């Protein structure tokens, strides 16, 4: 009897913002809606980029231990207020419910066109889920909105660590009861993959050259020899299936 095909890993986990979902378009649309309601002209696309630019710096105090863990909704809200002040969006003229709706735009992001079909194909052979700085509620709401067919959702609030803290990756592997080398991270960000590989994960790069819009300068292509370099998530599924075959 022929041996069963050997899969390269048992689980494929995904960076989510930018890799699986298009945060820039979703957040831009929400900012446009709120600024129109307020009667204020704001460059919504630039607002989205500046809001996102505060993302990693806002997590730094939690990573270095100078701030207790708070979830991404709280960080996003702090960053939203700071960005609104910078961009001239008058927060005091926004109803609290509308401000909350805007902050939760990160829960309502659409997937890239290849995301759902690619994930559905991967799900046939591997455990799939997000390995994101989003928390459990955010990632669950996003999955319902975008139809992401995860097997498991491991929020940063479950592990109490934000990537690229090694505990974020190792904690996910422990929760899945898998050694790190049986888990793959798929991301559109080379630095995320480098951090995952440093703790023993396998790695897959997919390019999202429009994540930051037409002027994007970073992560346009793989900058290292990752285990898999794919055009998109459907191509990743094909390559991993062919490897097993």
């Amino acid at each position: 009897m022929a041996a069963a095909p050997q899969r390269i890993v048992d689980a494929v986990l995904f960076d989510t913002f930018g890799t699986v979902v298009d945060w820039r378009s979703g957040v831009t649309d929400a900012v446009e809606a709120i600024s129109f309601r307020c009667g204020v002209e704001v460059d919504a696309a630039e607002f989205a980029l500046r809001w996102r630019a505060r993302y990693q710096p806002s997590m730094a105090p939690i990573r270095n231990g100078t701030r207790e863990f708070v979830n991404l909704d709280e960080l996003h809200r702090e960053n939203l207020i700071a960005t609104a002040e910078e961009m001239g969006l008058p927060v005091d003229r926004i109803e609290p419910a509308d401000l909350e709706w805007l902050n939760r735009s990160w829960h309502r992001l659409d997937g890239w066109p290849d995301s759902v079909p690619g994930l559905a194909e991967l799900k046939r052979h591997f455990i799939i889920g997000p390995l994101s700085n989003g928390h459990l509620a955010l990632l669950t709401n996003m999955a319902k909105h975008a139809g992401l067919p995860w097997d498991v959702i491991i929020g940063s609030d479950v592990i109490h660590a934000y990537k690229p803290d090694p505990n974020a990756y190792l904690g996910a592997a422990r929760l899945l009861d898998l050694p790190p080398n049986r888990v793959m991270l798929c991301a559109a960000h080379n630095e995320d993959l480098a951090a995952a590989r440093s703790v023993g994960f396998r790695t897959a790069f997919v390019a999202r050259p429009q994540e930051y819009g037409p002027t994007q300068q970073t992560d346009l292509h793989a900058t290292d020899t990752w285990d898999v370099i794919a055009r998109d998530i459907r191509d990743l599924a094909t390559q991993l299936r062919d490897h097993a075959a």
Side-chain angles (χ1 to χ4, degrees), residues 78-158:
E78 293 170 3
N79 296 340
L80 168 58
I81 300 302
T83 306
E85 292 175 353
E86 180 183 27
M87 294 286 294
L89 182 66
V91 172
D92 58 347
R93 288 169 53 183
I94 303 176
E95 292 293 331
D98 289 340
L99 192 65
E100 178 66 9
W101 179 86
L102 176 56
N103 195 49
R104 288 171 67 90
S105 60
W106 299 91
H107 293 228
R108 304 186 302 272
L109 303 174
D110 294 333
W112 298 106
D114 60 277
S115 292
V116 171
L119 292 174
E121 176 61 24
L122 282 165
K123 184 182 174 76
R124 295 174 56 200
H125 308 284
F126 305 93
I127 298 166
I128 63 168
L131 204 176
S132 169
N133 286 331
H135 51 287
L136 183 61
L138 182 156
L139 294 169
T140 301
N141 292 335
M142 181 193 294
K144 293 296 287 184
H145 173 85
L148 306 176
W150 303 128
D151 290 308
V152 62
I153 295 176
I154 303 170
S156 58
D157 53 332
V158 176

Side-chain angles (χ1 to χ4, degrees), residues 20-218:
V20 178
V21 296
D22 176 9
W23 61 264
R24 183 177 63 90
S25 296
V27 173
T28 296
D29 289 347
V31 173
E32 283 183 344
I34 291 297
S35 61
F36 178 79
R37 186 173 299 183
C38 292
V40 177
E41 287 192 15
V42 172
D43 185 336
E46 179 64 20
F47 191 108
L49 291 173
R50 293 192 189 188
W51 192 358
R52 177 66 174 182
R54 297 177 182 273
Y55 173 77
Q56 289 291 350
S58 70
M59 290 181 281
I62 296 172
R63 294 193 194 103
N64 66 29
T66 59
R67 181 179 184 180
E68 291 187 358
F69 183 90
V70 296
N71 71 32
L72 197 55
D73 276 351
E74 186 164 339
L75 296 179
H76 273 155
R77 187 180 180 89
E78 293 170 3
N79 296 340
L80 168 58
I81 300 302
T83 306
E85 292 175 353
E86 180 183 27
M87 294 286 294
L89 182 66
V91 172
D92 58 347
R93 288 169 53 183
I94 303 176
E95 292 293 331
D98 289 340
L99 192 65
E100 178 66 9
W101 179 86
L102 176 56
N103 195 49
R104 288 171 67 90
S105 60
W106 299 91
H107 293 228
R108 304 186 302 272
L109 303 174
D110 294 333
W112 298 106
D114 60 277
S115 292
V116 171
L119 292 174
E121 176 61 24
L122 282 165
K123 184 182 174 76
R124 295 174 56 200
H125 308 284
F126 305 93
I127 298 166
I128 63 168
L131 204 176
S132 169
N133 286 331
H135 51 287
L136 183 61
L138 182 156
L139 294 169
T140 301
N141 292 335
M142 181 193 294
K144 293 296 287 184
H145 173 85
L148 306 176
W150 303 128
D151 290 308
V152 62
I153 295 176
I154 303 170
S156 58
D157 53 332
V158 176
I159 301 172
H160 274 218
Y162 282 124
K163 297 185 299 178
D165 183 334
N167 292 316
Y169 309 96
L170 293 173
R174 282 195 300 271
L175 287 170
L176 292 174
D177 196 23
L178 291 171
N181 69 325
R182 298 304 299 170
V183 183
M184 173 175 280
L185 177 69
C186 174
H189 311 117
N190 287 280
E191 289 186 358
D192 198 358
L193 295 178
R197 185 168 65 183
S198 73
V199 299
F201 273 39
R202 307 298 289 269
T203 53
F205 179 84
V206 295
R208 297 300 190 194
Q210 293 297 313
E211 177 184 358
Y212 287 89
T215 61
Q216 181 167 322
Q217 300 294 317
T218 60

